[in-house]
Amino acid sequence: MLTKFESKSARVKGLAFHPVRPWICASLHNGVIQLWDYRVGTVIDRFEEHDGPVRGVDFHLHEPLIVTGGDDYKIKVWDYKLRRCLFTLLGHLDYIRTVQFHPNATQFPWILSASDDQTLRLWDFQKRSCLSVLTGHNHYVMCASFHPSEDLIVSASLDQTVRVWDTAGLRKKQLGGSGLDEGYPGMMDVNGNRGGTSAAAATALNVQAELFGTNDVVVKYVLEGHDRGVNWAAFHPTLPLLASAADDRQVKLWRMSETKAWEVDTLRGHANNVSCCLFHPKQELVVSNSEDRSIRVWDVSKRVGVQTFRREGDRFWILAAHRSQNLLAAGHDSGMIVFKLERERPASAHGPGDKLYYVRGRELFCHDYSRATGGSSGVDVPIASLRRVGQQAQTDGIGSGPRFLSYNMHNPTEGNILVCSEVDGGCYELITFSLTNAGGSVTDGKRGSCLGPGVFLGRNRFAVLDRHKREIVVKNLNNETTKRVAAPVPNVDCLYDGGASGRIILRSDDRAVLFEVQSRRVIGELTAPKIKNVVWSPDGSKVALLCKYGVVIANRQLEQLCSISDTVRIKSGAWDVSPTGGTNSNLFVYTTLHHVKYCLPTGDTGTIRTLDNPIYATRVVKDSLFCLDREARSRVISIDTTEARFKLALANKKYGQVMHMVKHSRLCGRAIVAYLQSKGFPEVALHFVRDPQTRFRLALACGNIEAAMESAFSLEQQQGADGKSRDVWGELGSEALRQGNHQVVEMSYQRKKDFDRLSFLYMLTGDNEKLRKMLKISNMRNDIMGRYHNALLLGDAAERVAVLEASGNLPLAYISAKLHGLDDVADRIKVAIETQEGSVEGLMEKIPVGTKKGGRLLQPPTPIVRASNWPTLEIKKTTLEDLSAADAGDEYEEEAPAVAADTGAGAGAAAWDDDFGMEDAVAGIGGDDGFDLGDDDDMGWGDDLDGLGDIGGDDIASDQVDDMEAFNEISGHVGFQMPPAGRPAAACWVANSSHAADHMAAGGASSAMQLLHRQIAASDFSKLKGPMLGCYLSSTVSLPGVPGSGSMIIPLMRNDAAGHPGNDSLPRTSLTMKSLVAGIRMGYKYFQTGKFNEAKNAFSEVLSQIPLTVSENRSQANEMKEMVEICREYITAIRIKEAITAAGADPVRSTELSAYFTHCNLQPVHLLLALRSAMGTAFKHKNFIVAASFARRLLELPDMRSERNADLRMKATKVLQRSEQMARNEHTLNYKENTAFSIDCKDLVPVYTGEESVKCSYSGSVYKGTSMKGQIDVTDGFCTVGVETIGLVTGK
C-alpha cells in the first residue's frame, strides 16, 4: 500500500472522489461532511446541517453538486461552490445508508438511495420528486448502486440477499413520456422551481408509488448464498460480475447472464464482518475491508487473497475508488486514508547515445530516439520478457512489477541491465544482451536479493545493498560476490549511481553520501531530505537529487550548488542535452503532478507549462520534452525554455546571446522584470516593457532620464494631473537633481507645482527674472509665506516690508524698513501703529546693530556657472549597454554562420538603439529645448499670471523651434491654403454607436428616443427625461475665453486615454455601473428597514438609468441585465406587500399574497423576512398545509442556523409541528407550491406554465391574458407591453 494522504477525524461512514479535481468528500458519524484536498492535505469546506451520522455521499460528474444521506431520514443536495444546501428530499422512514447520482446524470437526473426502511428510492433531483420506490427486501437495505453503463441497480440487504434491478422501463418512460428538460444541467428559475411534468401528475405518481410501488423498476435477479446479512454489493466496471460482502466474513463473486445469475466463488480470509468491497477500476482485483481492522486484496482470476493491510485499533467501514486514476480510499474509526496498491512510475534507465531502456508490463524495451519520424518520439525495440518470481509477482497491480532499472554505461561491448523490484522484500535480475542484435541473444537467470536499486561500478561488476546487514555487496557479471564493504554511515537504505566508475551515492536518513568503494572513503556529503532519485548530467559534472518536495543540485564532488523546494511532490527530472545553445548540462527540467518546471545551477527556477496528466521526464532537447506516461508509453511534448535560456545566458555573462534574445524572443511578464532588477540589469528589462509605470521605475533604476520623462508624460495622460502623477514628477525631479540636470528638475517641479523648491532652484541657478515671476505668482495666489520667501531670495527689502505690513506684522515691518533705510515707508508704518494706539519706542533697541547678531541686507548669491545646464553626473554603463566590449565568443551560437558574423560587438551596440546612455541625452537637453521658462510672456508662466493655470503646460515642448523652421521653409509662391475641415465630435458619436446615451450626448434626442423605442419599446419618455438630459450635459465642458469672445465647447471622450481617437471618438456619460450599484444598495437598505416607498423609488430610478448607461465590457453588460431582474423582482415584491396591507380583512387574499411574496427572487436575508411573514399569516388564518410549507422553507435557509435567529427557528419548529398535527387548510387558495409560475405584475395573481400571457421586452414583467398588450408596463413605467424587440443594448 502506498499511502498518499491520511486524515484524523471522527468515524468515516461515507467516501466519494471528485471525478476531476483532487478532492474527496467524507461523511462522518458525528454528522459533519468534510471536503478534503488530498493532494495538499487540507480541508476545503465543511457542511453541518444533518442531525446524526451521515452514511452516504456522492459527487455529481459534471455539476458542482454533492448528495448526502443520513440518519435524520433526509437526503440533501449541496452546491459546493455556493457552499450551501440547495434542497432536501424527504420520503424515507428510517436511516439512509447510501446515496448515488446516476453515472449519466446529464441525461438522467436521478439519485439512488438505500434505507433501513427496507426500500430503495429513485429521485429526480431536477423536479425534486420521487420517481420510484423499490420494495422487495425484508430487512435493512445496506447499499445500492447503479451499473456504470447498463440499466441495472444492485442492492444488498441484511435479509441475506443481493438483488439486481432492471431500470429499462423507467428509462424508457422518462425518455418517451415527459421528455428531457432542455434547461438542464442544474438550471432553476428565479422562484427555485424546475420545468417538467405538471404538479398534479407528479403528485399522483408519488401517491401511487407510496401505496403500491411501481412496475417501472423490476427485480431481475435475487442472489442468495450468504449465511448472514449482506453489507455491500458492487458491479464490475466492464464485465458481467458482481462482488458482495457480508457479516458471514465472506466476499462472494457472482456472474450474470441475460437470464440468470450464479455464484462463482467465495473469498475467505476476513476474521469479522466484511463492511465493503469493490472491483479495482484498472486491475483484475477485488478490494475489501472489514471490522477485523484489515484491508484485503483478492485476485479475481485466481480467486485468492494476494495482499493484506492491517491497521491496529481502527475498524474499516467504507471503500471508494477514483473513476479515472489509480486511487483508493478507505474510511475507519479515526479518519480515512487515500492510497494506491502500486507505484505508477515506469522503471527506466538511460542507455548509450540516444537510447532509453524501460519496462512496460512484463517486457523490457529499448526506445531509440535517433529513429524518430514525424510526430513520434522514436522506435521501440523489445529486448526481453521478464520472469515472474515469487507468489506476489504472479498478480499484476499490487506492486509486483519492476521498480528500478540500471544500465551499465561502463561496458561498451554488450548491454547489461539490472532490473530491481520490491517483491519478497527486494530482489534483482541481471539481463545481458547484445548491443548489435538487441532482440537476439538474451541471457538472464542471474538473480538475488537486495534493498533498493543496484548500481554498476565498472565494466564487469555491480553493487547491491544487503537488505539484512545493510552492507554493500560487490558482484561480478556471473553473479558471484567478490567483496563486501561496510557502509560508512549507519541507516543506509538505498544506493544510487555515483556518476563515475567505482562511486556510489548512499542514502541515509536525510543525508546523501558520495562513497568510493575501492578506497572506502567518503568524498562528499550533503543534506537532502527524502531522496527519491538521482539524475546525473550528460557530462557528469552535475547531479540533481530529486527529493519528495524539492531538488538539490550539486557538482561531481557532491558539493551543493543550489537547492529549491516545491509545495507538491516532484515526479521526475532530466537534464538538457541540446548540442547548441549553452544549456547542455546546465538546464534541469523536472515535473510535478501538474506542471513542468526548470531549475538552473544558479538557483533560478520557474514554471514552463501545465500538464493534464502526470508524466515522467527522460530527455530534454531544445524545446522538446521526451517522457513516459503512466502506461509506459513514450511521448514527446513541446515546451518553451526561452526564459530559462535567457536567465542562463545572463548568469554566464553571454551578453551577445542576451541581446539577441531580448530583440527576437517573446520575453515578458512581471517575473522577468523583477528578476532583471534583482540581478542588477534594469536597462535590459526596459527594452521589452511597455507599461508606463513599470518603465518609469526601470528608467529611474538605471538612470535613464529620457525614458523616465517619456513614461512620466504617458502616466500624466492616463492619470490626469492628480496626486499620483505629481508623485511621479517628484521622483523624476529627485533623480535629475542627483545627476545635476537642473533643466529636467525645473520641468518636474513645474509639473508638480512645487513652488518652494522651484524658487530655491532659480536662486541656485541665478535666474532672477524667473524668481521675480515666482514672486508675482505667489502674490496672485495670496501665498504670504511664498511671497516673503521669494522676496528674501531676491534681496527685495521693500517687498519684504510690504509683505509684513500686509500680513499685519506692523512692528516687524517698521524695524525692517528702518534697518534698510526706507524712511518714508517707516514713517507711514509708524503712523499706522500709533493710530492703533501702539508705540514704536524701544523697537529699534531690540536689534543689536553693528554686531554679528545684528540685521543686515541679504542679497542672492551669484552663481559660479551660468551655462544652459550644469555638468551632469556620468552614469556608468553596464556591459550590456556597451556591447563593443563583449567578446566575440559571446555571439549567439544557434544562428547560422553568416548571421553570426553580423552579430558581433559593433552590430550589437547598434541593436540597443543607444537607449541606455546619458551622454547624448545630456547634449540633447539644451538651453532652447523648451524646458526653461524663457523671456516670452506667451510661455507657461504668462498663462499662470493671467489665469492661474498649470505651470509649464503643454507648450513646453522641444519641437516648437522645428515647427517654426518648417514654416519658414514654405516657398512664397505657394500661397495660403485652407486646411481641410474636420468632422464634428457629435457626428462621430452618432456614427460610431448604436447606444441611445451616445446619441443623446451628441444632442440627437430624436434619434435617441427612436433607438429606445426600437430596442426596448420605450413609449413614455417622461421618466427618462432626467437621465437623458444628464447624458447631454455631461458630454461637454464650457471653457471661458478671453474677454469679448464667446466660450469654447470642449467634447469629453471616454476612449481618449491612449491619445485622441479621431473619428472613432465616443462621448463620456454621467451614468456608470458605480451609480447603478449604489442605487441597488440603497434600495436594499430601505427594503430591509421597512421603508417600502423609498425602496420602490430607488429601484424605479435604477430601472430608468440602465437604458442610458454604457457598459465597459461583457461582464458589466451581464451585471446590468441582472440588475433589471433585481429591480423587477423587488418592485413586484413591494407592490405585493402593499396589497397585503390593503387586503388585511380578507384571509384568503392575504394568505395568497403572502405566498406569492415568498416566490419573488429576493436576497436570502429578505426572503427570510418574507417567509416569516407568510408563515405567520397562513398559521393565523388556519391554513396549516401552507404554513408547514413556509416553515420548512424557512428552516432550510442557511441563515437560520445562526444564533441571532434562534428564537425564529424555535417558533418555526413549533409552527411546523402544530401544522403537521392539524394538516388541513381552512380556505381554498389560488396557490400551487410545487408548480412553476410567474406573478402577474398588474393583478398579482399566478401565471402558470402554458397559460396565455404577454411580456415586457425590457423589464421582463409578465401579464396574464392579452389585456395589457399595448399598454405601459406597470413595473418600469415607460415601455410598452407585448412588443417583441431586440432587448436592452448595453454598449457600443
Side-chain angles (χ1 to χ4, degrees):
M1 177 187 291
L2 182 62
T3 302
K4 309 298 287 185
F5 165 70
E6 186 167 358
S7 71
K8 297 294 183 183
S9 64
R11 182 185 304 169
V12 175
K13 301 296 290 183
L15 288 172
F17 281 101
H18 193 281
V20 179
R21 297 182 178 177
W23 295 352
I24 186 169
C25 195
S27 58
L28 310 184
H29 195 265
N30 61 3
V32 177
I33 302 157
Q34 295 179 335
L35 185 59
W36 289 86
D37 186 324
Y38 55 80
R39 190 174 60 189
V40 296
T42 58
V43 176
I44 300 173
D45 212 337
R46 294 164 59 94
F47 307 100
E48 303 182 14
E49 288 191 18
H50 277 287
D51 296 327
V54 183
R55 302 178 186 272
V57 64
D58 193 26
F59 275 104
H60 195 284
L61 280 180
H62 308 291
E63 296 298 313
L65 301 179
I66 299 174
V67 61
T68 59
D71 286 4
D72 54 1
Y73 313 166
K74 295 178 181 178
I75 298 173
K76 290 182 177 288
V77 177
W78 313 76
D79 190 316
Y80 56 75
K81 285 187 177 180
L82 300 179
R83 307 178 67 181
R84 65 182 180 89
C85 178
L86 296 181
F87 54 89
T88 302
L89 301 175
L90 300 176
H92 279 297
L93 305 177
D94 208 336
Y95 297 170
I96 297 171
R97 294 287 179 173
T98 62
V99 289
Q100 184 189 6
F101 284 109
H102 194 280
N104 187 11
T106 304
Q107 189 176 11
F108 301 102
W110 297 353
I111 292 174
L112 174 64
S113 61
S115 170
D116 285 359
D117 62 6
Q118 304 180 15
T119 65
L120 293 78
R121 286 178 181 253
L122 280 169
W123 310 81
D124 188 323
F125 64 84
Q126 284 187 3
K127 302 172 185 174
R128 305 182 187 178
S129 62
C130 181
L131 294 175
S132 182
V133 181
L134 282 60
T135 59
H137 286 291
N138 53 28
H139 209 306
Y140 299 165
V141 184
M142 302 300 290
C143 87
S145 63
F146 289 105
H147 193 282
S149 57
E150 299 180 14
D151 295 327
L152 297 176
I153 291 174
V154 65
S155 62
S157 170
L158 293 188
D159 62 6
Q160 304 180 15
T161 66
V162 175
R163 289 176 179 253
V164 179
W165 310 76
D166 189 345
T167 61
L170 182 62
R171 174 180 60 82
K172 293 175 182 177
K173 180 178 179 180
Q174 291 292 305
L175 292 177
S178 61
L180 297 179
D181 186 356
E182 297 180 358
Y184 186 77
M187 299 303 293
M188 294 183 293
D189 62 17
V190 295
N191 298 318
N193 297 309
R194 303 179 183 269
T197 57
S198 66
T203 304
L205 178 63
N206 289 341
V207 172
Q208 178 187 1
E210 291 288 346
L211 295 179
F212 308 107
T214 61
N215 57 2
D216 300 329
V217 182
V218 296
V219 176
K220 191 172 185 180
Y221 315 117
V222 178
L223 308 180
E224 298 177 342
H226 284 286
D227 298 332
R228 300 186 67 181
V230 186
N231 292 318
W232 204 266
F235 285 113
H236 192 283
T238 56
L239 300 178
L241 293 177
L242 274 171
S244 60
D247 286 346
D248 58 5
R249 307 176 185 181
Q250 297 175 359
V251 176
K252 288 184 179 291
L253 295 178
W254 312 79
R255 181 174 291 275
M256 300 179 297
S257 68
E258 290 297 325
T259 58
K260 63 178 181 177
W262 64 95
E263 181 181 337
V264 176
D265 207 343
T266 300
L267 308 177
R268 296 178 176 87
H270 282 292
N272 206 334
N273 301 338
V274 187
S275 306
C276 186
C277 68
L278 53 81
F279 287 96
H280 195 282
K282 292 190 176 183
Q283 304 290 343
E284 293 303 314
L285 302 172
V286 171
V287 184
S288 63
N289 62 5
S290 166
E291 295 180 38
D292 64 0
R293 302 176 178 83
S294 72
I295 299 175
R296 290 180 179 263
V297 182
W298 315 83
D299 191 320
V300 174
S301 58
K302 300 180 179 60
R303 302 166 192 170
V304 294
V306 292
Q307 275 186 337
T308 302
F309 308 108
R310 299 190 182 277
R311 184 179 183 91
E312 296 301 326
D314 291 322
R315 296 168 295 176
F316 286 100
W317 299 102
I318 188 68
L319 280 171
H322 200 285
R323 294 177 182 270
S324 58
Q325 299 181 21
N326 187 20
L327 284 175
L328 299 171
H332 51 78
D333 283 335
S334 60
M336 67 169 172
I337 54 174
V338 177
F339 62 96
K340 293 180 180 180
L341 295 181
E342 66 172 352
R343 298 182 186 274
E344 296 178 277
R345 182 196 310 273
S348 62
H350 287 284
D354 296 332
K355 291 182 172 59
L356 173 74
Y357 293 90
Y358 68 93
V359 176
R360 184 195 306 148
R362 290 293 172 178
E363 293 288 332
L364 175 64
F365 289 90
C366 173
H367 188 78
D368 194 346
Y369 292 115
S370 61
R371 296 166 64 182
T373 57
S376 66
S377 60
V379 177
D380 285 334
V381 179
I383 301 296
S385 296
L386 304 179
R387 295 184 180 181
R388 301 172 185 259
V389 180
Q391 179 64 31
Q392 184 181 354
Q394 303 305 313
T395 302
D396 291 330
I398 58 173
S400 60
R403 175 79 189 282
F404 307 103
L405 230 62
S406 298
Y407 183 84
N408 189 1
M409 301 291 290
H410 310 289
N411 189 353
T413 59
E414 63 179 4
N416 308 122
I417 288 182
L418 277 173
V419 182
C420 303
S421 67
E422 295 179 340
V423 176
D424 298 333
C427 63
Y428 69 86
E429 179 180 359
L430 177 63
I431 298 177
T432 303
F433 55 91
S434 172
L435 292 177
T436 57
N437 186 13
S441 58
V442 178
T443 304
D444 59 1
K446 301 181 179 64
R447 300 180 180 86
S449 62
C450 67
L451 181 63
V455 178
F456 285 98
L457 298 177
R459 183 175 180 273
N460 56 1
R461 56 198 176 103
F462 63 91
V464 294
L465 185 64
D466 188 283
R467 65 189 185 193
H468 300 295
K469 298 181 180 180
R470 301 294 176 95
E471 62 182 6
I472 303 166
V473 182
V474 180
K475 298 189 176 187
N476 58 24
L477 297 185
N478 294 324
N479 205 23
E480 300 169 345
T481 302
T482 60
K483 184 186 297 185
R484 289 182 176 268
V485 180
V489 292
N491 302 325
V492 175
D493 57 1
C494 197
L495 302 181
Y496 295 107
D497 185 15
S501 176
R503 292 184 177 184
I504 57 176
I505 292 179
L506 308 176
R507 183 180 72 183
S508 172
D509 297 329
D510 288 341
R511 293 182 298 166
V513 180
L514 182 61
F515 182 65
E516 192 170 68
V517 178
Q518 186 66 28
S519 61
R520 304 190 181 188
R521 64 188 180 97
V522 176
I523 299 174
E525 182 178 342
L526 56 78
T527 300
K530 300 180 180 179
I531 301 175
K532 299 298 180 183
N533 200 5
V534 168
V535 183
W536 284 91
S537 62
D539 60 0
S541 62
K542 301 178 186 66
V543 61
L545 306 177
L546 300 183
C547 304
K548 191 173 184 179
Y549 292 104
V551 178
V552 178
I553 295 182
N555 59 15
R556 69 174 66 220
Q557 304 300 324
L558 211 62
E559 298 170 347
Q560 182 172 318
L561 300 178
C562 73
S563 175
I564 63 168
S565 59
D566 211 320
T567 55
V568 295
R569 298 183 183 185
I570 310 296
K571 291 295 180 182
S572 64
W575 289 92
D576 189 293
V577 295
S578 304
T580 59
T583 56
N584 191 312
S585 301
N586 286 312
L587 171 61
F588 184 72
V589 177
Y590 65 96
T591 65
T592 63
L593 200 61
H594 292 295
H595 290 92
V596 179
K597 302 183 179 182
Y598 70 86
C599 175
L600 303 179
T602 57
D604 297 319
T605 183
T607 301
I608 297 177
R609 61 167 288 171
T610 58
L611 296 171
D612 296 329
N613 297 302
I615 59 171
Y616 301 94
T618 58
R619 175 186 175 92
V620 179
V621 180
K622 293 185 179 179
D623 287 339
S624 296
L625 173 63
F626 298 86
C627 57
L628 295 173
D629 59 18
R630 283 182 163 172
E631 283 72 35
R633 302 288 179 182
S634 184
R635 296 173 52 196
V636 56
I637 62 175
S638 60
I639 58 176
D640 186 0
T641 58
T642 305
E643 179 182 319
R645 288 186 278 113
F646 176 78
K647 292 182 179 180
L648 188 62
L650 200 62
N652 294 336
K653 300 181 180 180
K654 295 184 177 181
Y655 299 122
Q657 185 176 347
V658 171
M659 177 199 68
H660 183 277
M661 296 181 71
V662 167
K663 300 298 290 183
H664 297 91
S665 299
R666 298 179 61 183
L667 287 168
C668 59
R670 296 182 179 178
I672 284 289
V673 174
Y675 175 80
L676 290 169
Q677 283 187 283
S678 65
K679 295 298 182 181
F681 296 104
E683 67 279 358
V684 181
L686 198 61
H687 274 270
F688 52 85
V689 172
R690 295 292 174 263
D691 178 54
Q693 185 71 38
T694 308
R695 282 185 62 84
F696 180 76
R697 300 295 177 194
L698 293 173
L700 288 186
C702 60
N704 191 337
I705 295 296
E706 284 186 339
M709 285 171 53
E710 177 186 353
S711 301
F713 279 116
S714 300
L715 287 172
E716 187 179 47
Q717 289 180 356
Q718 292 180 3
Q719 301 173 355
D722 55 0
K724 292 183 180 179
S725 62
R726 293 185 181 183
D727 294 340
V728 169
W729 288 113
E731 295 178 20
L732 177 60
S734 299
E735 176 61 23
L737 189 62
R738 187 185 70 83
Q739 296 185 17
N741 194 332
H742 75 81
Q743 292 179 346
V744 177
V745 175
E746 175 187 356
M747 184 197 67
S748 301
Y749 289 166
Q750 291 173 13
R751 295 277 180 178
K752 192 181 178 184
K753 298 184 180 180
D754 196 340
F755 299 108
D756 294 338
R757 284 188 171 90
L758 203 53
S759 299
F760 191 70
L761 177 66
Y762 291 148
M763 184 204 70
L764 292 179
T765 56
D767 198 337
N768 291 342
E769 183 175 354
K770 293 180 181 177
L771 200 54
R772 291 190 182 279
K773 292 184 178 181
M774 290 298 300
L775 177 61
K776 294 180 182 179
I777 290 175
S778 59
N779 189 16
M780 298 184 67
R781 294 174 58 241
N782 294 323
D783 184 4
I784 297 297
M785 290 304 298
R787 184 179 169 190
Y788 187 80
H789 287 157
N790 286 309
L792 191 65
L793 297 178
L794 281 168
D796 191 341
E799 182 65 22
R800 292 205 299 272
V801 172
V803 172
L804 291 172
E805 184 180 4
S807 62
N809 295 300
L810 297 180
L812 288 177
Y814 177 77
I815 295 173
S816 181
K818 274 291 186 182
L819 287 176
H820 293 91
L822 303 175
D823 296 332
D824 296 340
V825 178
D827 293 340
R828 179 170 52 80
I829 296 174
K830 178 180 178 182
V831 172
I833 293 176
E834 291 176 350
T835 303
Q836 298 178 5
E837 298 182 356
S839 177
V840 297
E841 295 181 3
L843 289 178
M844 300 305 299
E845 297 176 0
K846 298 179 181 180
I847 307 300
V849 182
T851 63
K852 290 184 178 181
K853 295 182 180 181
R856 66 189 65 189
L857 179 63
L858 292 178
Q859 292 291 340
T862 302
I864 301 174
V865 179
R866 288 184 180 270
S868 59
N869 209 346
W870 291 342
T872 55
L873 181 68
E874 182 180 0
I875 304 299
K876 186 178 180 181
K877 290 185 177 181
T878 64
T879 311
L880 279 169
E881 292 179 89
D882 192 6
L883 285 176
S884 59
D887 297 334
D890 292 341
E891 297 172 4
Y892 192 51
E893 300 175 5
E894 294 187 11
E895 294 296 317
V899 178
D902 293 335
T903 55
W912 289 90
D913 296 334
D914 294 329
D915 283 346
F916 295 124
M918 284 302 301
E919 289 81 357
D920 295 337
V922 172
I925 304 178
D928 296 331
D929 59 355
F931 290 123
D932 58 349
L933 293 176
D935 298 332
D936 193 352
D937 290 339
D938 291 336
M939 299 295 288
W941 290 98
D943 294 339
D944 287 329
L945 293 176
D946 295 335
L948 294 180
D950 292 342
I951 297 179
D954 294 337
D955 52 350
I956 304 178
S958 58
D959 57 351
Q960 289 180 355
V961 176
D962 296 335
D963 291 341
M964 293 303 298
E965 291 176 358
F967 277 110
N968 292 333
E969 291 174 1
I970 298 177
S971 301
H973 67 277
V974 175
F976 176 75
Q977 295 181 356
M978 180 67 71
R983 194 177 184 186
C988 297
W989 298 347
V990 171
N992 294 336
S993 176
S994 60
H995 200 285
D998 295 334
H999 283 247
M1000 192 63 209
S1006 176
S1007 62
M1009 288 189 288
Q1010 288 179 4
L1011 286 174
L1012 290 174
H1013 180 69
R1014 292 169 184 164
Q1015 293 167 0
I1016 60 174
S1019 300
D1020 186 355
F1021 292 94
S1022 58
K1023 283 194 174 184
L1024 299 176
K1025 180 179 179 182
M1028 293 178 73
L1029 288 177
C1031 291
Y1032 174 70
L1033 296 174
S1034 64
S1035 63
T1036 57
V1037 63
S1038 178
L1039 184 66
V1042 297
S1045 65
S1047 300
M1048 292 182 291
I1049 304 299
I1050 306 298
L1052 300 177
M1053 291 170 281
R1054 65 174 181 264
N1055 58 342
D1056 60 349
H1060 196 286
N1063 291 335
D1064 296 330
S1065 65
L1066 290 170
R1068 182 172 299 177
T1069 57
S1070 59
L1071 297 176
T1072 62
M1073 278 294 297
K1074 187 175 181 181
S1075 59
L1076 298 180
V1077 172
I1080 293 288
R1081 289 178 177 172
M1082 187 61 66
Y1084 284 160
K1085 181 179 178 181
Y1086 287 141
F1087 192 91
Q1088 180 74 20
T1089 55
K1091 299 178 180 178
F1092 297 111
N1093 289 331
E1094 290 85 347
K1096 185 177 179 181
N1097 293 335
F1099 288 118
S1100 298
E1101 184 177 359
V1102 173
L1103 267 184
S1104 65
Q1105 291 176 351
I1106 289 176
L1108 294 165
T1109 305
V1110 182
S1111 62
E1112 297 179 0
N1113 48 51
R1114 186 178 297 274
S1115 175
Q1116 286 192 2
N1118 294 333
E1119 289 180 16
M1120 289 167 60
K1121 293 179 180 177
E1122 291 178 5
M1123 286 181 180
V1124 173
E1125 297 181 2
I1126 291 172
C1127 293
R1128 180 195 69 221
E1129 292 295 322
Y1130 272 87
I1131 291 174
T1132 305
I1134 293 170
R1135 294 182 61 244
I1136 293 175
K1137 186 66 177 175
E1138 294 172 350
I1140 291 174
T1141 304
D1146 186 355
V1148 177
R1149 183 58 176 165
S1150 60
T1151 306
E1152 289 176 350
L1153 290 171
S1154 299
Y1156 306 154
F1157 194 22
T1158 65
H1159 285 267
C1160 294
N1161 192 10
L1162 308 178
Q1163 295 292 315
V1165 63
H1166 301 151
L1167 181 60
L1168 185 144
L1169 299 176
L1171 286 170
R1172 182 181 65 180
S1173 174
M1175 180 183 69
T1177 302
F1179 190 79
K1180 180 177 65 174
H1181 296 309
K1182 299 182 180 181
N1183 295 310
F1184 296 110
I1185 298 177
V1186 182
S1189 171
F1190 295 147
R1192 290 191 194 97
R1193 290 175 59 189
L1194 187 61
L1195 290 173
E1196 289 177 0
L1197 290 178
D1199 292 345
M1200 290 297 291
R1201 300 186 65 87
S1202 63
E1203 290 298 327
R1204 67 175 182 273
N1205 293 324
D1207 294 339
L1208 179 57
R1209 185 168 64 247
M1210 186 180 301
K1211 292 178 182 178
T1213 305
K1214 292 180 180 179
V1215 169
L1216 179 60
Q1217 293 174 352
R1218 178 62 176 169
S1219 300
E1220 288 176 344
Q1221 292 173 0
M1222 303 304 293
R1224 289 293 184 273
N1225 277 342
E1226 183 73 17
H1227 308 94
T1228 301
L1229 305 177
N1230 182 15
Y1231 172 60
K1232 300 176 183 178
E1233 176 191 2
N1234 297 321
T1235 304
F1237 65 85
S1238 302
I1239 299 174
D1240 188 317
C1241 292
K1242 179 185 178 184
D1243 299 329
L1244 303 180
V1245 294
V1247 182
Y1248 293 103
T1249 305
E1251 293 183 347
E1252 187 178 12
S1253 62
V1254 290
K1255 192 175 183 180
C1256 175
S1257 60
Y1258 171 54
S1259 67
S1261 301
V1262 178
Y1263 299 92
K1264 193 172 184 178
T1266 58
S1267 60
M1268 281 295 292
K1269 187 172 184 179
Q1271 303 297 318
I1272 297 297
D1273 181 23
V1274 176
T1275 302
D1276 54 49
F1278 53 85
C1279 291
T1280 303
V1281 178
V1283 180
E1284 184 178 356
T1285 66
I1286 196 173
L1288 180 65
V1289 175
T1290 57
K1292 177 181 175 181

